[in-house]
Amino acid sequence: MPPVEWRVSETLVPYEDALATMAERAAAIAEGRAGEMVWLLEHPPLYTAGTSARPEDLIEARFPVFDAGRGGQFTYHGPGQRVAYLMLDLKRRKPDVRAYVATLEEWIIRGLASFNVRGERREDRIGVWVRRPEKGEGREDKIAAIGIRIRKWVSLHGISLNVDPDLTHFSGIVPCGVSGQLYGVTSLVDLGLPVTLDDVDLALRREFESLFGATRTPGQAAEAAGIASARAI
């Protein structure tokens, strides 16, 4: 398969703009007019509601609330959180939604392992979790969320990994519908790791390629097109 376009936005991307861009790109992929893409970005502070969101899980609308159109419940996005939207052609890869979600989990787990963090799956809870025994027996914190939508076998939405967001912003919702004294939210910096978004991007790209295949940047695509044109002259 051709390399996946790997795009990183350096400024905060409004959520509605991201939804529109994803929808347009996914439609183009389904129609064979564009290639696959992974888009890494940050959003301004906001809450999103998935298709299973329960009204009572919105404790306080401290930030704008958007209907995401993805699966899952309420989640928070904001600065310091690496959001990765994946627009992949699952029909050409493997039309198996469960396998795709499992691969996303593995992607996050491998990325965390780059920083000596042990991320774990939970059968009864979506996302990736880390054990926090220093907080008490049985305590676990969520470090990454997963929420996807499949349209014509092209994926939309993706993952969010907490690098250094303001964790108090999660208090306005019940994140992903998971509550209780044993479960909280954490980030790489909260775990004591001075990790930057650039560090995380490098790890995510490396592990993505090991699971999904080669990537290219928009600049590499333009360069390749220029070389091809020069050869044709």
Side-chain angles (χ1 to χ4, degrees):
M1 295 184 68
V4 178
E5 180 181 338
W6 189 268
R7 182 178 297 180
V8 182
S9 291
E10 302 295 340
T11 58
L12 300 181
V13 178
Y15 192 70
E16 292 170 309
D17 292 352
L19 290 182
T21 299
M22 272 196 293
E24 182 179 355
R25 184 60 174 252
I29 293 169
E31 296 168 6
R33 296 185 287 106
E36 298 175 308
M37 183 172 77
V38 175
W39 186 15
L40 273 59
L41 52 80
E42 296 172 275
H43 287 304
L46 57 92
Y47 297 129
T48 67
T51 54
S52 302
R54 299 174 299 193
E56 61 269 26
D57 286 342
L58 179 61
I59 300 170
E60 179 186 2
R62 299 173 56 189
F63 306 109
V65 180
F66 294 91
D67 182 0
R70 55 160 173 78
Q73 303 186 42
F74 278 104
T75 193
Y76 164 78
H77 294 313
Q81 182 188 70
R82 177 50 85 210
V83 174
Y85 292 135
L86 298 90
M87 288 139 275
L88 302 180
D89 188 347
L90 300 186
K91 189 173 183 179
R92 294 179 61 194
R93 289 176 172 273
K94 185 178 182 180
D96 186 328
V97 176
R98 288 190 177 185
Y100 175 59
V101 172
T103 307
L104 292 181
E105 291 174 335
E106 182 64 20
W107 180 34
I108 297 168
I109 289 169
R110 292 189 186 188
L112 291 172
S114 302
F115 307 105
N116 296 314
V117 174
R118 182 178 177 180
E120 300 180 353
R121 298 177 175 89
R122 292 292 177 263
E123 291 296 328
D124 60 336
R125 286 173 267 136
I126 299 297
V128 176
W129 298 75
V130 293
R131 299 175 188 262
R132 303 300 301 273
E134 72 278 10
K135 289 186 174 182
E137 185 177 356
R139 289 292 302 271
E140 297 184 343
D141 285 346
K142 190 171 190 175
I143 195 167
I146 297 173
I148 67 166
R149 181 176 183 178
I150 307 297
R151 184 183 297 164
K152 296 182 179 179
W153 284 110
V154 176
S155 66
L156 296 96
H157 299 276
I159 70 166
S160 58
L161 174 60
N162 297 332
V163 181
D164 188 21
D166 186 337
L167 296 178
T168 66
H169 289 179
F170 285 88
S171 63
I173 57 171
V174 177
C176 301
V178 178
S179 60
Q181 294 183 346
L182 293 178
Y183 309 126
V185 181
T186 191
S187 67
L188 287 167
V189 171
D190 181 55
L191 293 174
L193 299 167
V195 177
T196 67
L197 286 172
D198 288 342
D199 296 329
V200 168
D201 291 351
L202 289 171
L204 287 178
R205 187 170 185 175
R206 180 178 63 248
E207 300 306 332
F208 178 91
E209 291 187 335
S210 71
L211 291 165
F212 292 97
T215 63
R216 61 172 176 80
T217 63
Q220 287 174 315
E223 181 180 354
I227 292 173
S229 298
R231 286 175 177 168
I233 293 174

